[in-house]
């Protein structure tokens, strides 16, 4: 085969704009009849209802009821977080809606009213193109869940949380709630009380899953709360990439999404968890995500937050074994009416562990971004390293950005490096681009894409393309 | 044939009047050199014609092909065939020259029309060869960390790729060494001798550039208006005598 010409190479290096998932694409709703409905509001009866339709064992109902108590006891964290949290009315939310508890294995079996939603979002097509397995959650339960035979034959388990609990209790119970205890925060407690859906993944020793597994979370109903629970375990030497996407129609009332995601990377395992969050602007997105990395293991969170009204999310890694590595690469785009309160937590708990945080935020118009980081390296450890970089881009004077990095690195045998920058897209830069024929929106979009370029290049192709599309749309919307 | 007609143009920044009744017609294929002391409003004129939002047009008109462009956005003006080579080009971090120019070329295409990537790169590389710009430059962020001369060459590369009908070149020669000056001039002359030869407003302080890009007209701007016009010999005269002798002259329109 002859080597590619200079021109061929240049073309291959450009990300070719193919159709991604755009924000307006998620803004639709088909009428769906729900067979199971926990009604509106939250009480012990709500929790009992959820547990009973899932035919859960008594210990789990117990677990849920205890969690409800914790949730009710814990105050809203408005002493440090935004007061906007106070606008969530937990008694006006619907906690469980589904057509049934058992996901279909083929798209043909998925009821039409739900199937057309996912088809419109392009999920079956993506599955054929580049995924090892897909779980498509519609409100409270997965409507579809499938894993390619070739991956299943390697012993990889990819099911929803209910199935995981029922069919693999020995693995599930061992890790469930261990990375993120119920009482970690008010919203992890809420999730523990009413969780439904989410993925359970187990990758056996030494198995490297070649293509990503994907979950797609769709909220369809108004006044709804989605509380998926994801648990991913990569056994020794295993490797897996998991991607999640999400959309909801734009309702005038608020919607709540509060997930808990726990990752366990055993010795020498690698987990990469990729999120492109594109909720409609009425969604409160309050998610707890954390992983434990054992000896020589690696956990990498790639977290892109484009949508929602308020996102509070600080993916974390507990570096539990020697030489474990943790990484958070995050991009947040806060447009008018949005607050992206994101960050990362790195807890070093063994020698020679390393962590890397690169957070980029873009604030447009009235949009607000906040970075909160925690890096903890105790004094008795040695050879630990952290690198933290926070860059903010402001696209007009009224937008706001705050950075709260809490870096506690003790002892003189550990190293940390911290950089932060705030830059502005200047009028002159936009004029320069416009004078070449680009519209104001295209110019802003290019400036934003340039700002995140070095990070986005590290993302899988399909996701960086989608991200670029989303940014284009956001910028189009932000120009009067 | 395109032409740019600047009619009795008045430009202010805030309350301050900078350009005070400027008249000039530039036809495609012509090169008009504009010279004049620092601070007389040459860059102001060029940027205001390109549509910079800081400048207010307080009187007069600018027409491209008999159509006023004053109500157009800067990008519409550019797509109509106007190009400004900046005295101080902006940096665009993270955006490669190749992607930037590609977006600019794409912006000139009809909706739904697909850019032929192979053809684009072929054209880009041939223009880069002409301007003796290293291939490595396409991957660098636009103007970021460029030397003064590199920035100017990058402006000419963009001009060559976008093929404007009217180009306003603001001190493209400043910051260029002798060799680079000749290369840039060769690039501009190549555009001049092409069938789509642009009309050029060439703002400069130095006769030297005009040895390479020979102007059809030379104009002197002083205090916001043209005070003298002539052929290329006027530039030589200025070089010898400076500007003082012109300051007393009435405006010639
Ligand atoms: N954005 C601005 N705000 C305030 N004053 C400005 C601005 N831009 C230009 N000026 C002023 O307008 C006048 C004309 O400036 P301009 O840059 O057009 O001059 P010039 O003829 O291009 O000079 P030079 O030969 O030094 O490039 C100067 O007094 C300058 O200080
Ligand atoms: Mg100037």
């Amino acid at each position: 085969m002859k080597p590619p010409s200079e021109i061929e190479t240049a073309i291959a290096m450009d990300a070719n704009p193919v159709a991604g998932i755009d924000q307006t694409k998620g803004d639709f709703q088909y009428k769906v009849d729900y067979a199971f409905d926990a009604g509106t509001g939250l009480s012990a009866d709500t929790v009992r209802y959820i547990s009973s339709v899932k035919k859960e064992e008594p210990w789990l109902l117990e677990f849920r009821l205890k969690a409800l108590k914790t949730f009710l006891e814990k105050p809203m964290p408005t002493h440090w977080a935004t007061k906007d949290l106070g606008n969530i009315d937990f008694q006006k939310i619907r906690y469980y809606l589904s057509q049934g508890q058992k996901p279909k294995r083929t798209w043909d079996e998925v009821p039409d009213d739900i199937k057309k939603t996912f088809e419109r979002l392009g999920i079956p097509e993506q599955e054929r193109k580049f995924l090892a397995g897909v779980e498509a959650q519609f409100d409270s339960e997965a409507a579809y869940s499938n894993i390619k035979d070739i991956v299943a034959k390697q012993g990889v388990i990819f099911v929803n949380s209910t199935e995981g609990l029922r069919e693999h209790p020995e693995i599930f119970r061992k890790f469930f709630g261990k990375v993120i205890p119920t009482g970690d925060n008010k919203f992890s407690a809420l999730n523990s009380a009413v969780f439904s859906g989410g993925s359970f993944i187990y990758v056996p020793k030494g198995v490297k899953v070649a293509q990503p597994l994907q979950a797609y979370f769709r909220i369809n109903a108004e006044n709804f709360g989605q509380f998926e629970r994801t648990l991913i375990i990569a056994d020794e030497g295993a490797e897996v990439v998991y991607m999640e996407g999400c959309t909801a129609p734009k309702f005038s009332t608020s919607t709540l999404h509060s997930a808990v995601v726990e990752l366990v990377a055993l010795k020498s395992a690698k987990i990469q968890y990729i999120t492109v969050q594109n909720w409609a602007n009425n969604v409160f997105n309050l998610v707890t995500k954390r992983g434990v990395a054992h000896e020589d293991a690696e956990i990498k969170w790639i977290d892109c937050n484009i949508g929602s009204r308020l996102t509070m999310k600080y993916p974390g890694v507990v570096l539990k074994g020697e030489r474990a590595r943790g990484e958070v690469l995050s991009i947040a785009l806060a447009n008018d009416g949005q607050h992206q309160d994101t960050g990362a937590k790195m807890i070093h708990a063994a020698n020679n562990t390393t962590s890397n945080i690169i957070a980029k935020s873009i604030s447009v118009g009235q949009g607000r971004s906040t970075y909160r980081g925690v890096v903890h390296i105790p004094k008795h450890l040695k050879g630990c390293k952290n690198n933290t970089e926070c860059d903010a881009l402001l696209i007009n004077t009224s937008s706001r950005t705050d950075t709260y990095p809490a870096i506690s690195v003790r002892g003189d045998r550990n190293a940390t490096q911290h950089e932060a920058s705030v830059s502005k897209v200047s009028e002159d830069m936009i004029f320069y681009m416009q004078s070449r024929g680009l519209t104001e929106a295209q110019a802003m979009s290019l400036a934003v894409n340039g700002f995140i370029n070095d990070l986005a290049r590290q993302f899988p192709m399909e996701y960086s393309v989608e991200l670029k599309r989303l940014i284009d749309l956001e910028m189009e919307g932000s120009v009067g | 044939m395109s032409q740019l007609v600047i009619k009795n143009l008045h430009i202010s920044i805030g309350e301050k009047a900078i350009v005070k009744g400027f008249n000039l017609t530039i036809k495609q294929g012509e090169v008009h050199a504009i010279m004049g002391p620092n601070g007389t409003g040459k860059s102001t004129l060029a940027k205001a014609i390109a549509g910079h939002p800081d400048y207010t047009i307080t009187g007069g008109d600018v027409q491209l092909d008999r159509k006023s462009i004053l109500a157009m956005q800067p990008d519409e003006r550019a797509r109509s065939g106007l190009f400004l080579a900046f005295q101080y080009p902006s940096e665009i971090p993270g955006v490669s020259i190749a992607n930037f120019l590609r977006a600019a070329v794409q912006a000139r295409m009809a909706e739904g029309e697909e850019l032929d990537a192979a053809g684009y790169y072929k054209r880009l590389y041939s223009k880069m060869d002409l301007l003796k710009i290293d291939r490595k430059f396409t991957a660098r962020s636009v103007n970021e960390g460029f030397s003064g001369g590199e920035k100017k060459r990058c402006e000419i590369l963009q001009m060559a790729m976008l093929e404007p009908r009217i180009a306003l070149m603001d001190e493209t020669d400043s910051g260029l060494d002798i060799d680079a000056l000749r290369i840039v001039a060769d690039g501009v002359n190549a555009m001049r001798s092409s069938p789509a030869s642009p009309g050029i407003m060439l703002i400069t302080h130095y006769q030297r550039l005009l040895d390479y890009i020979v102007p059809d007209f030379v104009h002197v701007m002083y205090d916001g208006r043209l005070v003298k016009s002539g052929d290329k010999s006027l530039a030589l005269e200025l070089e010898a005598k400076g500007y003082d002798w012109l300051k007393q002259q009435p405006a010639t329109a």
Side-chain angles (χ1 to χ4, degrees):
Chain A
M1 216 176 84
K2 80 177 168 61
S5 74
E6 189 177 35
I7 287 175
E8 281 162 351
T9 311
I11 294 169
M13 278 167 63
D14 291 345
N16 257 318
V18 299
I21 298 166
D22 66 50
Q23 181 144 51
T24 47
K25 208 169 167 181
D27 189 18
F28 64 89
Q29 184 194 25
Y30 295 121
K31 199 183 152 350
V32 167
D33 294 319
Y34 297 98
F36 301 89
D37 181 348
T40 303
L42 179 63
S43 67
D45 283 342
T46 320
V47 172
R48 285 196 191 93
Y49 177 86
I50 295 169
S51 193
S52 82
V53 298
K54 289 174 175 290
K55 302 189 183 63
E56 288 174 347
E57 290 184 30
W59 72 267
L60 195 53
L61 175 59
E62 200 89 339
F63 173 93
R64 286 179 182 276
L65 289 168
K66 241 176 93 187
L68 178 65
K69 202 163 159 274
T70 309
F71 166 71
L72 294 171
E73 281 164 11
K74 272 194 178 293
M76 271 294 193
T78 39
H79 55 289
W80 60 269
T82 167
K83 304 268 175 293
D84 193 21
L85 283 175
N87 293 319
I88 305 172
D89 187 343
F90 293 98
Q91 294 310 331
K92 282 200 178 141
I93 286 169
R94 308 166 80 180
Y95 288 81
Y96 184 89
L97 284 172
S98 82
Q99 285 193 341
Q101 288 73 39
K102 211 169 159 37
K104 305 294 187 261
R105 296 291 180 225
T106 65
W107 285 105
D108 283 345
E109 295 167 81
V110 177
D112 276 345
D113 49 359
I114 290 180
K115 187 166 66 182
K116 59 187 177 186
T117 290
F118 288 113
E119 277 174 347
R120 187 157 161 184
L121 294 165
I123 309 302
E125 191 190 331
Q126 289 178 15
E127 179 181 15
R128 281 192 300 275
K129 271 196 207 150
F130 66 91
L131 299 168
V134 166
E135 186 193 339
Q137 179 164 339
F138 194 85
D139 292 331
S140 296
E141 296 282 3
Y144 170 86
S145 169
N146 194 33
I147 178 169
K148 283 185 180 155
D149 281 344
I150 180 165
V151 186
K153 280 202 187 99
Q154 293 175 295
V156 176
I157 301 167
F158 178 40
V159 294
N160 66 23
S161 60
T162 308
E163 276 181 284
L165 272 159
R166 194 180 308 136
E167 281 150 41
H168 310 278
E170 67 303 337
I171 320 176
F172 203 110
R173 275 190 83 166
K174 189 170 160 194
F175 296 102
F176 171 68
K178 300 294 194 302
V179 183
I180 302 171
T182 296
D184 185 84
N185 63 75
K186 190 168 174 76
F187 294 94
S188 62
L190 176 62
N191 176 282
S192 301
V194 297
F195 74 89
S196 180
S199 308
F200 169 67
I201 295 172
Y202 171 77
V203 186
K205 269 186 195 167
V207 172
K208 296 178 168 59
V209 187
Q211 290 178 305
L213 296 170
Q214 190 190 55
Y216 198 88
F217 298 96
R218 173 70 179 173
I219 290 179
N220 191 65
E222 193 163 1
N223 296 320
F224 181 69
Q226 192 173 54
F227 306 95
E228 85 270 13
R229 180 100 192 185
T230 289
L231 174 59
I232 301 177
I233 299 139
D235 212 328
E236 292 182 8
E239 289 179 16
V240 65
V241 175
Y242 179 85
M243 323 205 288
E244 60 172 4
C246 53
T247 55
K250 279 192 182 112
F251 295 117
S252 51
T253 55
S254 56
T255 304
L256 177 59
H257 174 254
S258 190
V260 166
V261 177
E262 298 176 286
L263 310 182
V264 180
L266 294 173
K267 192 177 171 208
S268 302
K270 278 187 186 167
I271 302 176
Q272 189 171 326
Y273 192 109
I274 306 165
T275 305
V276 175
Q277 180 271 107
N278 186 27
W279 292 117
N281 282 6
N282 61 313
V283 176
F284 284 93
N285 183 44
L286 311 165
V287 173
T288 313
K289 289 179 163 171
R290 197 171 304 148
V292 172
H294 290 257
E295 204 180 320
D296 292 305
E298 182 181 301
I299 290 180
K300 184 176 195 169
W301 297 98
I302 293 181
D303 203 56
C304 306
N305 294 290
I306 309 288
S308 84
R309 164 174 171 171
L310 169 67
T311 285
M312 287 175 65
K313 188 182 353 161
Y314 322 97
V317 183
V318 179
L319 300 146
K320 198 175 173 190
E322 287 218 11
R323 294 172 302 279
R325 295 176 303 278
E327 191 161 17
V328 173
L329 306 179
S330 84
I331 291 171
L333 174 63
N335 217 326
D336 279 340
Q338 293 187 297
H339 183 179
Q340 306 284 8
D341 194 326
T342 59
K345 284 183 188 169
M346 292 293 177
I347 310 299
H348 291 250
N351 288 336
N352 302 312
T353 46
T354 51
S355 60
N356 184 33
I357 300 169
I358 303 179
K360 300 218 178 202
S361 71
I362 301 125
S363 311
V364 189
Q366 309 290 320
R368 181 175 167 196
S369 352
T370 306
Y371 169 83
R372 289 176 213 274
V374 172
V375 175
H376 180 68
I377 306 180
K379 195 174 172 187
H380 67 274
L381 297 182
K382 62 176 202 297
C384 298
K385 281 192 201 114
N386 164 261
N387 176 55
T388 300
E389 262 174 72
C390 306
D391 298 320
L393 184 71
L394 302 180
I395 303 196
N396 65 43
T397 44
S398 65
S399 35
R400 176 169 167 192
T401 178
D402 314 287
T403 308
Y404 306 99
I407 301 183
S408 58
V409 179
R410 305 222 161 74
D412 49 12
R413 297 171 299 174
N414 302 303
T416 180
Q417 194 177 325
H418 178 230
E419 276 174 48
S421 77
V422 179
S423 48
K424 267 189 182 167
V425 174
S426 70
E427 194 180 58
D428 276 331
M429 193 202 283
I430 297 295
F431 174 65
Y432 184 75
M433 292 193 258
Q434 280 191 279
S435 78
R436 300 317 186 225
L438 303 178
T439 62
E440 191 182 354
Q442 287 168 339
M444 294 213 302
S445 183
L446 209 55
V448 171
N449 276 296
F451 172 69
I452 61 164
N453 185 28
D454 51 341
L455 256 196
R457 260 205 298 249
Q458 298 183 45
F459 299 179
M461 170 76 168
E462 290 77 9
Y463 268 50
S464 48
V465 167
E466 180 182 334
L467 191 64
K468 187 177 173 306
R469 287 262 320 135
L470 289 176
I471 289 168
D472 287 350
L473 281 157
E474 283 292 322
M475 292 303 114
E476 238 163 68
S478 71
V479 176
Chain B
M1 265 315 156
S2 276
Q3 63 174 15
L4 184 78
V5 179
I6 307 164
K7 270 192 208 158
N8 193 26
L9 193 64
H10 288 74
I11 306 167
S12 293
I13 302 164
E15 295 294 289
K16 194 174 161 211
I18 308 285
V19 173
K20 305 160 184 172
F22 188 99
N23 290 286
L24 186 64
T25 294
I26 300 173
K27 296 195 173 80
Q28 245 190 301
E30 294 174 352
V31 173
H32 293 254
I34 308 267
M35 306 183 82
N38 296 128
T40 46
K42 302 181 295 297
S43 296
T44 300
L45 174 73
K47 283 200 271 186
I49 293 172
H52 194 292
D54 279 357
Y55 303 95
T56 317
I57 308 291
T58 51
D61 199 5
V62 180
Q63 296 176 349
L64 183 59
D65 301 335
R66 295 174 204 290
K67 224 181 109 207
S68 176
I69 60 168
L70 294 183
M72 292 183 183
Q73 289 297 312
D75 51 296
E76 288 177 81
R77 300 182 194 199
R79 292 193 303 271
S80 307
L82 194 69
F83 182 89
L84 170 61
F86 285 68
Q87 182 173 7
Y88 303 108
S90 291
E91 301 186 356
I92 315 173
V95 179
S96 71
I97 291 183
N99 278 342
F100 181 56
L101 269 172
R102 192 182 164 136
V105 170
Q106 190 111 46
R108 283 163 173 74
M109 291 168 32
E111 191 144 349
E113 201 184 331
E114 275 294 321
L115 181 112
D116 160 30
Y120 163 74
Y121 273 104
K122 224 173 124 183
R123 215 158 70 77
L124 178 63
Y125 287 159
S126 79
K127 306 284 185 201
M128 287 175 74
D129 290 346
L130 190 70
L131 293 164
K132 300 204 167 55
I133 297 174
D134 196 299
R135 294 287 157 87
K136 285 203 281 290
F137 262 79
T138 52
R140 285 183 58 177
S141 296
V142 178
N143 294 324
E144 203 184 24
F146 284 22
S147 73
E150 286 166 347
K151 282 185 183 167
K152 295 301 169 75
R153 257 198 256 190
C154 177
E155 293 293 287
I156 302 306
L157 174 65
Q158 295 177 47
M159 178 171 156
M161 284 299 285
L162 299 176
E163 295 178 337
R165 281 175 287 148
I166 300 292
L168 314 172
M169 302 177 64
D170 193 357
E171 294 198 27
T172 302
D173 53 335
S174 71
L176 292 179
D177 62 38
I178 308 279
D179 292 335
L181 182 71
R182 187 172 292 138
I183 292 162
V184 162
D186 286 348
V188 173
N189 287 330
M191 288 181 238
R192 285 180 82 180
S193 58
S194 79
S197 170
I200 296 176
M201 178 194 280
L202 192 65
I203 297 172
T204 182
H205 285 296
Y206 302 106
Q207 160 61 30
R208 204 184 48 189
L209 176 69
L210 306 180
D211 287 339
Y212 295 111
I213 304 174
V214 181
D216 301 296
F217 306 93
V218 174
H219 311 275
V220 180
M221 185 167 177
Y222 180 72
D223 193 23
R225 60 175 80 84
L226 291 184
V227 292
K228 190 160 180 66
S229 297
D231 62 12
K232 61 184 180 187
S233 63
L234 177 58
L236 291 166
E237 203 177 343
L238 290 171
E239 185 109 311
K241 300 205 270 187
Y243 291 113
D244 270 352
W245 63 284
L246 287 168
K247 288 183 182 169
Q248 314 310 325
Q249 300 230 345
T252 54

